[in-house]
Amino acid sequence: MMFWYDHDVDGWGWFAMSAGMVLFWALIITAVVLLIRALHAPHEHTHTPTAPTPEDILRERLARGEIDEEEYRRRLRTLHAGPLKKT
């Protein structure tokens, strides 16, 4: 009847058990941290999108082919020149 005691866990068994417990708790802690972050993260739909800048609109019009490169550069220079002075 001594065969019940012949199945002790050897060094690799203890290592595997220890590594398994460390991985188990790391997984639990990671899940809790991610859950807390997800619950406290700001919602994306509450932010209003930023309005496109005039340069963005010009780039989009050039990309769509509504204006050519010469027109794009002329309008960009006008935008960067600032407001027109009245005389």
Side-chain angles (χ1 to χ4, degrees):
M1 287 283 172
M2 295 296 283
F3 68 91
W4 291 106
Y5 300 104
D6 288 341
H7 300 291
D8 286 338
V9 178
D10 61 353
W12 286 109
W14 283 108
F15 174 76
M17 249 188 345
S18 299
M21 284 304 292
V22 168
L23 289 174
F24 171 76
W25 284 110
L27 181 66
I28 296 297
I29 292 169
T30 302
V32 169
V33 168
L34 290 176
L35 181 65
I36 290 171
R37 283 187 182 179
L39 292 175
H40 292 291
H43 299 289
E44 295 296 328
H45 65 276
T46 59
H47 297 286
T48 56
T50 58
T53 64
E55 288 87 358
D56 292 338
I57 295 171
L58 272 178
R59 258 185 249 110
E60 289 173 7
R61 291 188 65 196
L62 177 66
R64 286 193 299 260
E66 295 176 5
I67 58 175
D68 60 0
E69 189 174 348
E70 181 182 329
E71 179 75 8
Y72 170 77
R73 292 188 189 284
R74 185 179 64 78
R75 289 178 184 236
L76 196 59
R77 275 194 307 272
T78 304
L79 280 174
H80 290 217
L84 297 174
K85 295 180 184 176
K86 294 184 179 181
T87 55

